[in-house]
């Protein structure tokens, strides 16, 4: 982090025509973006919402309210502009990019008339069931992370000055619960939430499934091996995106529980990666608050959302832009008497 | 409220391509706007941020960190586009309108090149000191409320489909504390906050001042008389704005402690006025949470802000627009398999 830039921004905000610190968290937000970007005049002119999608073998353990083919169908909905994140990215004046890391039933897309591109970055057709063996090989996990790094680097080279991390994949809250329990050494019963809408026995079954996967892989300790054994492909890619954002000093705007699982993997591999992260919102998934707290992040929004896709991240983009506009355009207290 | 429209919107959102209720508070927000507007297809295309400004006689009791002439200077900064709310309204693609209800030192403005109009709606040159007598006459209080009603009606006639309530006036948190303590019958020591930045003895003096004003007017019970005795002009006007919004079914987007004091006066005069209100954010002023709770409102944002001006309200406009865009443009679950 660039403490000089953030301190200079804080000083500049102290001189603006307002009571000291009265813009609350917007002030720290502007200072954080300055620190990440390494400049006292940061801008977010070209934000990109990047949704990584893949399927999870663990979905076959009956841990989701939806069948696996929904993952591919949602990809088509992203491309067509009808899914929530497509609408929210448009509202935030952000570009939506979708990457298929390994969807089992990828949709047939018509490249023309598409609202968002769906990039073919398939590592394999979904992971294996982590309750029965490793979700993927270590080489595949490394490949998925590398794909994420490359995706982010391409976007940054094209001008992206903020990347919002989103995801799609039936079964993904289960994989995120497994990874979060493993990385933070927490009791799955406290980490696991309703996901897309489980309750009662179905929720208890999800906790048991997470327990079983953790037991099966209890000897796995190396973080790369943890990622490979437990999955998933899109989470690995998002870890790569978070790493690349940190390396290139571009804010990585975290969405909910699953995208933050990717960020948590990045943080486990390289703790300094958290310095480039901004938490957009607090999901209702209990494990999400644990992830954020561990990485020292406080979310900007708490709207009781649990959709994923980067929907919460997209909503936070205007807040970030506003914090920077205030830094850039607000007059100083010293100018007040002059009347402009 | 139009329960039929809000129920229809809730049903429509239940059918969208997402897990049930996974958009959290955005869903209730869209339903609330539908209920206020009386339609299942509400839009916020022409939001207006309306800042009412006036001076407070109580400021002469030494309850603010700033001198009274700052009120007029800030009016010039609104007109010039350099104040926080001007920048945030621009970011939210909302029109900024400023009304002078009675600033002691109004600025000389150049109508051309102005970022925002400053409307002359002066009732009197600031209120009297409510610690020494009535802040204004009952007729003046009624006139200020009527000015607010007329301001809102003019904006609505010109197409405003949401009005954000903002304010400016040195000493206004003291008047808001007095009114809130009186209307809600609360202990001033719990209602009063730091305002623009008081602490220690200065804060204790503010509490004593509020106590003294309440003691002086303890026999005043009629809500119009309470408003006249305690002030202020801009709070009275904002009460009128809230009443007009309710009458014309236009969302009244509340900002912080002072604008919500105006809303509280409207609610005291006509409880149904709260049905048209949306709470944008939670201010750090302790009395703000009391006001919102009493009116059954839960704020959308909590960013530790305490600037006023409608700064928090402006930040919430994109959230409201996004909730309506989702309602309007998201595809249905039933469309999923067709791939668009």
């Amino acid at each position: 982090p660039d403490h000089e830039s953030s301190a200079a921004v804080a000083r500049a905000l102290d001189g603006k025509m307002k009571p000291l610190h009265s813009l609350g968290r917007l002030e720290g937000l502007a200072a954080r973006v300055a620190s990440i970007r390494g400049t006292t005049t940061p801008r977010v002119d070209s934000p990109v919402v990047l949704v990584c999608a893949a399927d999870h073998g663990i979905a076959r353990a009956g841990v989701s309210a939806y069948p696996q083919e929904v993952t591919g169908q949602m990809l088509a909905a992203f491309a067509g502009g009808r899914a929530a994140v497509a609408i929210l990215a448009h509202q935030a004046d952000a570009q939506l990019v979708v990457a298929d890391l390994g969807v089992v039933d990828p949709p047939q897309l018509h490249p023309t008339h598409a609202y968002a591109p769906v990039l073919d970055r398939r590592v394999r057709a979904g992971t294996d069931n982590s309750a029965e063996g490793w979700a993927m090989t270590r080489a595949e996990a490394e490949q998925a992370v590398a794909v994420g790094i490359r995706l982010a680097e391409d976007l940054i080279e094209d001008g992206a000055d903020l990347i919002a991390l989103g995801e799609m994949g039936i079964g993904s809250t289960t994989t995120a619960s497994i990874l979060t329990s493993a990385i933070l050494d927490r009791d799955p019963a406290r980490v696991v939430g309703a996901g897309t809408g489980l309750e009662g026995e179905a929720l208890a079954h999800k906790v048991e499934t997470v327990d079983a996967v953790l037991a099966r892989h209890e000897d796995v300790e190396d973080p790369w091996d943890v990622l490979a054994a437990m999955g998933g492909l899109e989470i690995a890619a998002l870890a790569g995106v978070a790493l690349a954002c940190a390396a290139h000093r571009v804010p990585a705007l975290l969405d909910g529980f699953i995208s933050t699982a990717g960020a948590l993997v990045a943080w486990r591999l390289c703790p300094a990666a958290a310095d480039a992260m901004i938490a957009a919102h607090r999901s209702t998934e209990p494990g999400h608050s644990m992830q954020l707290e561990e990485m020292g992040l406080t979310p900007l929004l708490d709207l009781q959302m649990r959709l994923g896709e980067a929907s919460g991240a997209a909503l936070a983009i205007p807040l970030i832009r506003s914090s920077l506009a205030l830094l850039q355009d607000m007059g100083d207290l010293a100018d007040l008497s002059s009347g402009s």
Side-chain angles (χ1 to χ4, degrees), chain A:
Chain A
D2 176 356
H3 296 295
E4 255 177 66
S5 289
S6 64
V9 162
R11 275 194 306 275
L13 288 168
D14 283 351
K16 299 290 190 183
M17 48 174 72
K18 60 173 180 57
L20 205 62
H21 305 154
S22 59
L23 284 166
R25 294 199 53 204
L26 293 183
E27 302 193 20
L29 183 58
R32 186 168 179 92
V33 177
S35 173
I36 295 170
R37 297 293 280 158
T39 169
T40 57
T41 55
R43 302 181 59 97
V44 171
D45 291 330
S46 304
V48 174
V49 175
L50 173 60
V51 177
C52 294
D55 273 304
H56 295 255
I58 196 74
R60 290 191 290 278
V63 289
S64 174
Y66 293 90
Q68 199 166 47
E69 55 262 37
V70 167
T71 307
Q73 292 169 354
M74 286 304 301
L75 243 61
F78 296 148
R82 303 292 306 278
V85 71
I87 290 153
L88 294 174
H90 179 70
Q91 288 287 317
D93 206 8
Q95 187 193 350
L96 176 64
V97 174
V98 183
D100 175 3
L101 270 289
V103 173
V104 168
D105 289 321
Q108 297 294 321
L109 296 173
H110 309 279
T112 50
H113 308 300
Y115 172 80
V118 177
L119 309 176
D120 178 355
R121 296 294 186 275
R122 298 169 62 80
V123 173
R124 47 177 289 172
T127 51
D128 289 329
N129 185 343
S130 57
E132 295 171 357
W134 281 39
M136 57 187 140
T137 67
R138 168 141 176 168
E140 287 163 344
E142 289 171 352
Q143 188 187 339
V145 171
V147 164
I149 291 173
R150 182 61 187 270
L151 274 169
E153 289 187 332
D154 287 349
L155 292 171
I156 292 165
E157 200 171 320
D158 286 350
D161 46 22
L162 177 145
I163 299 180
L165 280 61
E167 41 61 48
M168 180 68 218
I170 297 301
S172 61
T173 63
T174 302
T175 297
S177 299
I178 294 164
L179 280 170
T180 302
S181 300
I183 293 173
L184 300 183
D185 195 20
R186 302 291 173 97
D187 179 0
R190 288 180 50 222
V191 173
V192 171
T196 49
L198 300 180
E199 48 189 11
E201 276 186 39
L203 185 56
H205 173 62
K206 185 171 170 183
V207 173
E208 281 163 23
T209 303
V210 171
D211 269 327
V213 174
L214 289 170
R216 182 172 186 104
H217 302 295
E218 66 180 338
D219 295 336
V220 180
E221 290 197 353
D222 176 272
W224 287 96
D225 286 343
V226 166
L227 180 60
M230 302 178 185
L233 292 157
E234 88 284 32
I235 292 173
L238 289 168
V241 171
L243 291 170
C245 282
H248 295 279
R249 314 197 70 143
V250 168
L253 183 61
L254 310 186
D255 186 45
F257 183 47
I258 300 143
S259 97
T260 307
L264 194 71
V265 169
W267 167 83
R268 179 70 184 77
L269 293 169
C270 172
D275 292 337
M277 297 175 192
I278 296 172
H281 81 122
R282 186 185 301 282
S283 153
T284 56
E285 285 285 308
H288 189 227
S289 291
M290 297 178 194
Q291 298 167 331
L292 294 176
E293 195 184 340
E294 190 74 25
M295 294 192 288
L297 301 170
T298 306
L300 294 167
L301 295 166
D302 185 351
L303 294 168
Q304 306 292 304
M305 292 169 69
R306 53 180 173 81
L307 174 58
E309 298 183 3
S311 53
L315 284 172
I317 292 173
L319 294 179
I320 298 171
R321 280 198 159 119
S322 290
S323 77
L324 302 181
L326 290 164
L327 171 64
Q328 182 178 307
D329 296 333
M330 248 183 103
D332 289 337
L333 256 185
D335 306 335
L336 252 196
S337 54
S338 74
S340 63

